[in-house]
Amino acid sequence: EPEVTQTPSHQVTQMGQEVILRCVPISNHLYFYWYRQILGQKVEFLVSFYNNEISEKSEIFDDQFSVERPDGSNFTLKIRSTKLEDSAMYFCASRLTGGAGNEQFFGPGTRLTVL
Amino acid sequence: GENVEQHPSTLSVQEGDSAVIKCTYSDSASNYFPWYKQELGKGPQLIIDIRSNVGEKKDQRIAVTLNKTAKHFSLHITETQPEDSAVYFCAANTDKLIFGTGTRLQVFP
């Protein structure tokens, strides 16, 4: 069964460093998302991406964040200068078509720890 | 802004009993309501979903009900088993998902 994959599973970085989290969505999917989950809290929407551009972003997704689909398979989230409060699980999701009623498939997540 | 409330935050039941988790949402434009199960160290996995043109949906031991007028939807798990133990999240919206705060379900043998 096709699945969303994410690498690395765990990333440890120093405050102020740049990190890139990588995702490989399901191959024929067209809509891509990043969510984050601070330990013990709910999953929060960060950004959605379609047709090589951002469709929507949340207040969390400030100028320190960027997304890119550099080739036909990868979807990346970059945090330019990490802060302690960026420590969280980051989930990538994809779906075949947009709009309501179509399942988003989630990856296993990357645990980011900022020291 | 858009918000989804979820109750209870923790739920403990004996194996074989039923479990009910309730959510309310604020955005009346929401028309898709999935439920996700999250096991330790894993990403959310869809277990059931319901669309706004349906009031109830059932899949074996799991059922979901939706009351659009009241902006409520609920997850019902019958004949619970220890492997049902996990964190359950409701979500709502039209494209991006707005998640509830989660319910930690523990099923004791």
Side-chain angles (χ1 to χ4, degrees):
Chain A
E1 185 175 327
E3 58 183 15
V4 177
T5 60
Q6 289 185 244
T7 54
S9 57
H10 191 187
Q11 174 87 49
V12 181
T13 190
Q14 293 288 328
M15 190 169 57
Q17 295 296 304
E18 174 184 287
V19 295
I20 298 176
L21 310 183
R22 291 183 166 79
C23 168
V24 179
I26 294 173
S27 63
N28 61 339
H29 283 191
L30 301 175
Y31 293 78
F32 313 110
Y33 305 83
W34 282 101
Y35 294 83
R36 80 169 185 192
Q37 184 180 32
I38 295 171
L39 187 63
Q41 298 186 23
K42 66 178 178 180
V43 179
E44 300 173 289
F45 168 77
L46 291 178
V47 66
S48 57
F49 190 86
Y50 168 71
N51 200 26
N52 276 323
E53 59 183 30
I54 291 173
S55 306
E56 187 173 358
K57 58 184 180 180
S58 71
E59 292 175 352
I60 303 166
F61 195 89
D62 61 22
D63 292 344
Q64 293 300 312
F65 291 86
S66 62
V67 290
E68 194 178 33
R69 188 153 162 82
D71 52 43
S73 59
N74 290 283
F75 179 50
T76 61
L77 174 70
K78 182 193 290 187
I79 308 175
R80 235 177 301 280
S81 176
T82 50
K83 302 187 283 284
L84 295 176
E85 52 266 37
D86 294 327
S87 295
M89 282 289 288
Y90 287 80
F91 294 105
C92 172
S94 71
R95 65 174 165 190
L96 179 59
T97 59
N102 298 292
E103 179 182 353
Q104 289 189 26
F105 293 82
F106 282 77
T110 293
R111 179 174 297 285
L112 176 65
T113 302
V114 182
L115 302 176
Chain B
E2 301 150 331
N3 191 42
V4 176
E5 299 286 338
Q6 183 171 347
H7 301 280
S9 56
T10 60
L11 180 58
S12 297
V13 299
Q14 288 289 327
E15 182 177 1
D17 287 351
S18 295
V20 180
I21 302 170
K22 298 182 178 182
C23 288
T24 60
Y25 61 97
S26 61
D27 185 0
S28 55
S30 298
N31 55 10
Y32 176 61
F33 307 92
W35 285 88
Y36 286 85
K37 177 182 181 182
Q38 186 178 29
E39 295 174 322
L40 197 61
K42 296 184 179 180
Q45 298 290 314
L46 181 75
I47 54 171
I48 195 168
D49 56 17
I50 191 167
R51 293 157 180 74
S52 59
N53 58 344
V54 175
E56 185 173 351
K57 182 177 177 181
K58 190 172 181 181
D59 182 4
Q60 299 182 344
R61 297 187 295 110
I62 295 172
V64 58
T65 59
L66 171 65
N67 181 332
K68 275 221 85 178
T69 304
K71 297 183 191 171
H72 291 170
F73 57 115
S74 301
L75 177 72
H76 304 250
I77 306 175
T78 58
E79 300 171 37
T80 52
Q81 300 165 2
E83 49 266 38
D84 293 331
S85 297
V87 179
Y88 291 80
F89 289 96
C90 61
N93 222 337
T94 54
D95 181 37
K96 69 178 187 289
L97 294 175
I98 304 298
F99 283 83
T101 46
T103 296
R104 181 173 298 280
L105 173 65
Q106 289 185 297
V107 181
F108 293 98

